[in-house]
Amino acid sequence: MSPEMNLMLFVLGTCISSATSKQFIFVNEAKTFDEAQIYCRRFHCDLASVQDTADFSSLQAAVSGITTPDAWIGLKRAEPNWLWSLSDSAFYKEGETEYRRWRAGQLDNAGGNENCCTVDGGGEFWDVSCYSRYPFICYDGNENALQRYVFVDQNKNWKDAQTFCRQNHTDLVSVRNLDENLRVQVLVPPGALVFIGLFKDTFRWSDNSSSSFRRWSVREPNDSGACVAQRLSDINTWVDQNCNDTRPFVCQDGEKVQILRVKLKSGQNVNDPVMKVFIKEKIQEKLVSLGMPKDAKLQWRVQSDGEIFHLLENDMNSWK
């Protein structure tokens, strides 16, 4: 007898590209940000997203020699989202970018500007102002590094700490899992708070990728607008602009994929291995009926706690 279950699917379109296949295309047509996004999604994959320095170099190459002042890329202001400073997607396993261990009562955004994160000696996270000054921990990913986690006993604001880590090591430390949390917390002096690489970002990529890579010009973003353009005429940095302004833009090509968000109602434990197989089969049947190829592969996204589904607080019989 099949388990009773109500299933709702929420489908988000996105694009993925390997390091060898991602291509940027400069389009010399003046359009608003929304018009440029529609064009890129119709004829390519999406507006350009930048995951790391390699992507940024490819983007620079695509616009090399262009004399127009600037061009839209796929970054736009959105609801705040917590991201790690180190944006290399290859650095994180499935679910590791979402690892959090907030102290009870934190995420209170006291003063309305607590957009950076510290860790205490117990490994718990605190949201604090980015302009506060704390010591910090760097991560060093170089092959010849004497130590991976480097405590720096200098009080700096978050941005200056990030700059120091990037110049002398790799970046501010990411805490990807419980093991790394334990490694980091032993470096924190008793009673102290120490900056780590987690920060609240107010911009989101058009293709829904979670990269925290940014290349802002000096004193940017300055609230000139909600959409982002890359300067082409001077130093290839980024500025925020009015989304209704018209300018050329950069698209990207890549493999289109679908991300599914699933909401279930069931009286059974949907994290049970047998139930997960059953649910995946039902999702496959539903998507095939909507036109998905029968040989398309489905893969669960594992959360930072190792589970697939989480119980909704406002509905004890709902999982997502």
Side-chain angles (χ1 to χ4, degrees):
M1 182 177 178
S2 298
E4 293 185 4
M5 176 185 66
N6 292 325
L7 172 66
M8 296 176 62
L9 300 179
F10 303 88
V11 183
L12 300 174
T14 190
C15 301
I16 57 173
S17 304
S18 70
T20 57
S21 67
K22 192 169 189 177
Q23 293 183 327
F24 295 107
I25 302 96
F26 175 74
V27 180
N28 194 19
E29 297 181 22
K31 295 183 182 294
T32 67
F33 182 92
D34 288 346
E35 290 170 344
Q37 183 184 60
I38 291 171
Y39 179 98
C40 289
R41 289 177 173 177
R42 179 179 179 185
F43 295 106
H44 300 282
C45 185
D46 212 315
L47 275 166
S49 66
V50 182
Q51 303 296 307
D52 48 35
T53 54
D55 274 0
F56 187 70
S57 296
S58 297
L59 179 60
Q60 286 180 295
V63 298
S64 177
I66 304 298
T67 57
T68 189
D70 47 38
W72 293 126
I73 58 174
L75 197 59
K76 185 177 182 179
R77 196 177 299 276
E79 288 297 316
N81 186 35
W82 288 94
L83 300 173
W84 293 104
S85 176
L86 181 53
S87 61
D88 182 3
S89 58
F91 183 66
Y92 302 91
K93 296 179 181 178
E94 192 73 30
E96 288 188 335
T97 58
E98 293 82 25
Y99 180 86
R100 308 287 185 267
R101 195 182 172 197
W102 294 109
R103 182 179 176 84
Q106 284 303 296
L107 286 179
D108 54 355
N109 196 29
N113 65 347
E114 294 193 335
N115 298 325
C116 289
C117 182
T118 57
V119 65
D120 62 24
E124 294 184 313
F125 296 180
W126 299 60
D127 60 330
V128 298
S129 169
C130 299
Y131 299 103
S132 299
R133 297 172 64 83
Y134 294 101
F136 50 97
I137 298 175
C138 300
Y139 170 76
D140 198 322
N142 297 309
E143 291 184 4
N144 59 350
L146 297 177
Q147 57 189 94
R148 295 297 180 200
Y149 305 97
V150 182
F151 172 70
V152 181
D153 194 12
Q154 301 178 27
N155 288 326
K156 295 181 180 291
N157 64 44
W158 190 90
K159 185 64 177 178
D160 288 345
Q162 180 193 54
T163 299
F164 179 96
C165 290
R166 288 179 172 179
Q167 290 177 344
N168 296 282
H169 303 284
T170 300
D171 211 320
L172 275 167
V173 68
S174 297
V175 183
R176 298 173 291 181
N177 49 54
L178 179 58
D179 177 67
E180 290 190 347
N181 186 292
L182 294 171
R183 293 173 183 267
V184 165
Q185 64 182 263
V186 299
L187 299 177
V188 180
L193 294 177
V194 174
F195 273 134
I196 57 176
L198 194 62
F199 73 104
K200 189 191 296 182
D201 191 38
T202 57
F203 286 85
R204 195 76 48 83
W205 291 105
S206 177
D207 65 355
N208 294 314
S209 57
S210 59
S211 168
S212 61
F213 183 93
R214 304 290 183 264
R215 190 63 182 263
W216 295 114
S217 298
V218 177
R219 292 184 291 277
E220 294 283 347
N222 63 6
D223 295 326
S224 297
C227 297
V228 176
Q230 175 157 324
R231 287 179 170 173
L232 305 182
S233 57
D234 48 21
I235 55 176
N236 280 302
T237 53
W238 299 351
V239 294
D240 58 345
Q241 298 289 315
N242 188 316
C243 300
N244 292 322
D245 292 346
T246 59
R247 51 177 45 85
F249 50 97
V250 183
C251 300
Q252 71 181 34
D253 275 335
E255 177 185 357
K256 290 192 174 182
V257 300
Q258 298 291 339
I259 297 176
L260 302 178
R261 290 184 177 176
V262 181
K263 183 175 181 180
L264 303 171
K265 286 190 175 181
S266 175
Q268 302 186 47
N269 177 12
V270 292
N271 278 309
D272 178 85
V274 175
M275 278 294 293
K276 286 189 288 188
V277 171
F278 174 77
I279 293 167
K280 184 182 285 190
E281 290 175 350
K282 289 299 180 184
I283 293 174
Q284 182 97 18
E285 291 175 5
K286 179 66 173 179
L287 293 177
V288 169
S289 72
L290 295 173
M292 184 185 77
K294 292 183 178 180
D295 59 350
K297 296 181 179 179
L298 298 182
Q299 181 176 345
W300 291 122
R301 181 173 185 175
V302 180
Q303 304 299 318
S304 58
D305 60 0
E307 299 287 7
I308 302 295
F309 299 100
H310 285 164
L311 187 66
L312 293 175
E313 293 181 0
N314 62 347
D315 188 344
M316 295 301 290
N317 291 320
S318 296
W319 296 76
K320 68 175 182 178

